[in-house]
Amino acid sequence: MERTVNHLLLENKAWAKEKKLEDPQFFDRLVNIQRPEFLWIGCSDSRVPPNEITQTQPGEIFIHRNVANLVVHTDLNLLSVLQYAVEVLEVKHVVVCGHYGCGGVKAAMTRHSFGIINKWLRNIKDVYRLHQGQIESLPTEDERLNRLIELNIEEQVQNLAETSIVQKAWKKHGRPHLHGWVYDLHDGIIKPLTSLPPGAPLHHPIFEYDNLDE
Ligand code: CO
């Protein structure tokens, strides 16, 4: 069924009305403050809506989404979201949630040029290069893709731990806990892949800043 933008606006009115009927204070509670305990870094893919798949409400998850759920250390957008979530909202958990069948990762696995997004996908090609042996030992294209998707999520969790934002918060406040999850489009189930508690060792000590107390 084709939907018009008008349809979205009508549905929004119906939703707001229903919310208020269910819980008359719902909007009043959220209007002045947000206290989410989670930052979600996910893929932009329309089939992986964070609040819906975790049954959470407005106010519960701070969200950043991009193609293939990347944590790129020069991405001012992501870094601003991360800093705000960690330092101001004081989130307890940061979740990187990717998904099997990710088109971004699939594109990065090819040798095809896609224009400007090449620059973005380049980050995934680096993950491929780091784990080439493991990926190429798998027999089918689907298995290779899904393994790269998992490795990419694990790499992005490491990238988070390599930021001074996370390291500073680990040192000063003993939070946030970092998590890497993968969502399966076939059954709607999220599988936890990796988890880094505050202070966890990094891939290499060169990434550990030694002057964060200054
Ligand atoms: Co995706």
Side-chain angles (χ1 to χ4, degrees):
M1 185 186 74
E2 199 194 330
R3 294 199 191 238
T4 62
V5 282
N6 224 7
H7 180 89
L8 300 185
L9 294 171
L10 278 171
E11 281 298 333
N12 164 257
K13 279 199 187 73
W15 170 81
K17 197 174 168 187
E18 200 178 317
K19 260 324 202 210
K20 214 169 171 174
L21 267 175
E22 262 170 30
D23 177 359
Q25 265 76 56
F26 182 78
F27 293 106
D28 297 332
R29 272 201 312 275
L30 287 171
V31 84
N32 291 317
I33 196 158
Q34 59 163 342
R35 281 231 172 78
E37 295 191 358
F38 308 92
L39 165 62
W40 176 283
I41 298 167
C43 185
S44 298
D45 195 302
S46 64
R47 299 164 297 177
V48 195
N51 285 122
E52 193 156 344
I53 64 176
T54 58
Q55 298 257 49
T56 45
Q57 294 293 323
E60 291 192 83
I61 309 188
F62 202 60
I63 297 173
H64 179 82
R65 294 169 78 180
N66 61 41
V67 171
N69 40 271
L70 300 185
V71 175
V72 177
H73 62 88
T74 52
D75 179 0
L76 275 181
N77 187 348
L78 173 121
L79 292 172
S80 304
V81 168
L82 179 67
Q83 183 177 19
Y84 187 74
V86 170
E87 295 181 5
V88 181
L89 299 174
E90 304 179 345
V91 296
K92 296 187 175 79
H93 302 273
V94 181
V95 174
V96 175
C97 186
H99 63 102
Y100 291 124
C102 184
V105 178
K106 202 171 185 172
M109 268 185 106
T110 71
R111 295 172 60 183
H112 200 80
S113 168
F114 297 94
I116 192 105
I117 201 174
N118 291 346
K119 308 279 181 287
W120 191 249
L121 301 180
R122 164 69 212 271
N123 296 290
I124 309 170
K125 289 180 188 280
D126 283 335
V127 180
Y128 186 99
R129 179 170 54 82
L130 278 169
H131 303 280
Q132 187 177 359
Q134 195 194 134
I135 293 163
E136 291 178 3
S137 72
L138 293 167
T140 69
E141 195 60 44
D142 271 1
E143 284 170 284
R144 290 193 285 273
L145 170 64
N146 286 338
R147 188 67 194 121
L148 180 58
I149 283 163
E150 293 175 345
L151 291 165
N152 179 54
I153 292 163
E154 286 169 16
E155 198 65 31
Q156 304 318 311
V157 172
Q158 276 291 324
N159 286 347
L160 280 173
E162 287 162 9
T163 64
S164 58
I165 298 167
V166 165
Q167 287 180 28
K168 214 171 173 177
W170 277 4
K171 218 167 199 172
K172 280 176 76 178
H173 309 291
R175 63 170 167 74
H177 205 114
L178 310 181
H179 309 266
W181 294 353
V182 64
Y183 175 81
D184 196 329
L185 294 170
H186 293 97
D187 58 12
I189 300 292
I190 295 170
K191 181 169 82 182
L193 290 177
T194 182
S195 152
L196 287 189
L202 306 182
H203 272 164
H204 193 286
I206 195 83
F207 295 110
E208 283 168 27
Y209 296 106
D210 63 5
N211 62 335
L212 294 175
D213 300 321
E214 285 167 18

